[in-house]
């Protein structure tokens, strides 16, 4: 298959679906997938929605012609029971690639590390409920020592959990240990314990120091891949907050082989998560992690079909973060705060409003000075302002209730009067007045431009300024962003 070159105008595309994909009717399924991957890389749904829709529909038709649903390249390993667990580690019995050793031939820029080996079996522990239930202050130390003795004689998840909770309730009992030490102790012998694993997960979430410790990092290698993925994401979140990039860098090396053997797609998702934490930092170590993630994800480009939206989101993330890093230092404190909050805004997903509203409130407190600095953003990194503008749709653009909204004729009269009072041909001198007018009248700049174009009064068209004003407004993303933010917050 050769590179496919299509014009931006979809009306000029060939009607024959095979020609559209640059294929012959006897093409193979893998060729169809590659052509589809190449096309949607360029005609993305967020930038070319109509073209993307046509490409996707054509792909579905051609796939139906070639046969049934395209089979996945790798078997699913979503069922936790598919892993053969031994206490203290995992024995990876399955071979995703079918070569008998459970490994795939991806050459990684990160490195490799084999899966952990299994260790000894579990012994049954005695009933320690009485020891754990002892609340007599004078006998707490004795009960704790008895639990330790019981654990030495009959190690089990029960005694490990009891010792953990004893230190949670009485942290002064043991100066040499933390409660989580007993979790690691118990899990090292009973890794399949649902109770201990859940306590470990909670400890990882609530205790950043524990999450970032080398002991925890080593122990995570013993967790099954389907559980480990969530824990690594939480560990990396703490690492990014602490700017401890070494943790993420080393984890990517240590866990790569296990995840590629378990599920390559899950490994790609995990790599994207690591890139998400590193992308926003100005630190050189974070930049190296991001570059490593780019190279790693490129090795799995064959998953473009299954993970198209996620890979597009990754491309958008890197483009957006690179744009922010390339911006000049701005003087307005609210714009600086906006960029500082970008990681939180990007990851807010279902709660964008709470993340962005405080920043927008600050921006709108002095809109005219902010307007000029937004112009710098639009000229250096337009993708940043375009992203924020689109984000306002999730905040919720509000309008005045119909009963309180001025009639269209009244708005038109106000705009005509405004242009009559301010007959300035130079749009750059007029735009601040237009900004104030749109904020005060609670109308969008687009509506302002449409009203100007609809007026038949020749007096308004002083030397063609009517056309100049309307076209300039539609191209003025900074002005439109501020007005849209105002409507979103004060509707």
């Amino acid at each position: 298959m050769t590179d496919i070159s299509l014009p931006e105008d979809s009306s000029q595309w060939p009607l024959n679906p095979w020609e559209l994909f640059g294929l012959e009717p006897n093409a193979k399924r893998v060729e169809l997938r590659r052509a589809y991957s190449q096309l949607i890389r360029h005609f993305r749904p967020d930038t070319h929605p109509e073209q993307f829709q046509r490409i996707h529909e054509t792909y579905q038709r051609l796939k139906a012609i070639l046969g049934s649903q395209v089979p996945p390249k790798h078997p699913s390993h979503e069922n936790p029971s598919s892993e053969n667990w031994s206490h203290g580690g995992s024995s990876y019995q399955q071979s995703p690639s079918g070569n008998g050793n459970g490994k795939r031939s991806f050459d990684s820029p990160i490195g490799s590390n084999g899966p952990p080996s299994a260790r000894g079996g579990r012994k049954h522990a005695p009933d320690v409920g009485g020891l754990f239930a002892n609340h007599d202050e004078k006998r707490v130390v004795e009960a704790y020592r008895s639990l330790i003795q019981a654990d030495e004689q009959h190690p089990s998840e029960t005694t490990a959990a009891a010792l953990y909770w004893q230190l949670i309730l009485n942290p002064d009992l043991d100066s040499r240990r933390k409660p989580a030490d007993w979790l690691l102790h118990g899990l090292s012998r009973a890794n399949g314990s649902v109770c201990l694993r859940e306590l470990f997960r909670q400890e990882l979430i609530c205790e950043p120091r524990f999450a970032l410790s080398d002991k925890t990092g080593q122990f995570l290698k013993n967790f099954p891949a389907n559980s480990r993925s969530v824990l690594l994401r939480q560990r990396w979140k703490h690492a990014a907050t602490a700017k401890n990039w070494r943790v993420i860098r080393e984890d990517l090396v240590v866990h790569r082989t296990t995840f590629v053997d378990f599920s390559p797609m899950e490994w790609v998702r995990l790599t994207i998560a690591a890139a998400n934490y590193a992308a926003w930092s100005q630190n050189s170590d974070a930049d190296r992690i991001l570059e490593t993630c780019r190279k790693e994800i490129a090795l799995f480009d064959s998953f473009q079909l299954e993970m198209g939206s996620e890979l597009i989101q990754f491309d958008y993330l890197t483009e957006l973060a690179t744009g922010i890093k390339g911006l000049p230092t701005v003087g307005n404190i609210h714009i600086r705060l906006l960029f500082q909050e970008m990681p939180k805004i990007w990851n807010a997903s279902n709660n964008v409003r709470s993340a962005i509203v405080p920043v927008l409130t600050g921006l709108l407190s002095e809109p005219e000075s902010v307007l000029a600095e937004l112009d710098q953003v639009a000229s250096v990194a337009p993708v940043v302002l375009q992203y924020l503008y689109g984000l306002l749709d999730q905040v919720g653009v509000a309008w005045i209730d119909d009963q309180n909204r001025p009639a269209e004729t009244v708005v038109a009269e106000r705009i005509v009067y405004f242009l009559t009072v301010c007959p300035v041909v130079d749009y750059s001198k007029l735009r601040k007045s237009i900004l104030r007018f749109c904020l005060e009248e609670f109308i969008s700049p687009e509506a302002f431009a449409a009203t100007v174009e609809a007026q038949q009064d020749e007096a308004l068209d002083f030397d063609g300024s009517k056309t100049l004003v309307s076209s300039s407004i539609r191209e003025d993303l900074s002005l439109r962003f501020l007005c849209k933010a105002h409507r979103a917050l004060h509707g």
Side-chain angles (χ1 to χ4, degrees), residues 307-343:
M307 303 182 64
S309 60
E310 293 168 274
L311 294 177
I312 289 172
Q313 191 79 344
F314 170 73
D315 290 340
Y316 196 22
L317 163 69
T318 55
E319 185 180 5
L320 193 61
T322 302
I324 289 179
K325 292 177 183 179
L327 289 173
T329 303
V330 294
N332 188 279
I333 186 174
H334 300 297
I335 294 183
R336 293 202 304 270
L337 180 61
L338 174 63
F339 296 150
Q340 291 172 9
E341 293 296 306
M342 281 298 289

Side-chain angles (χ1 to χ4, degrees), residues 136 148 481:
D136 186 345
I148 293 177
F481 170 76

Side-chain angles (χ1 to χ4, degrees), residues 167-188:
L167 280 191
I168 287 287
L169 297 172
N170 306 282
D172 296 332
L173 275 177
D174 194 335
S175 61
R176 297 179 302 162
R177 296 185 181 92
K178 299 292 183 184
D181 291 336
W182 286 115
L183 292 181
L184 298 180
H185 175 73
L187 285 168
S188 66

Side-chain angles (χ1 to χ4, degrees), residues 42 330 364 469:
H42 178 70
V330 294
L364 290 170
V469 168

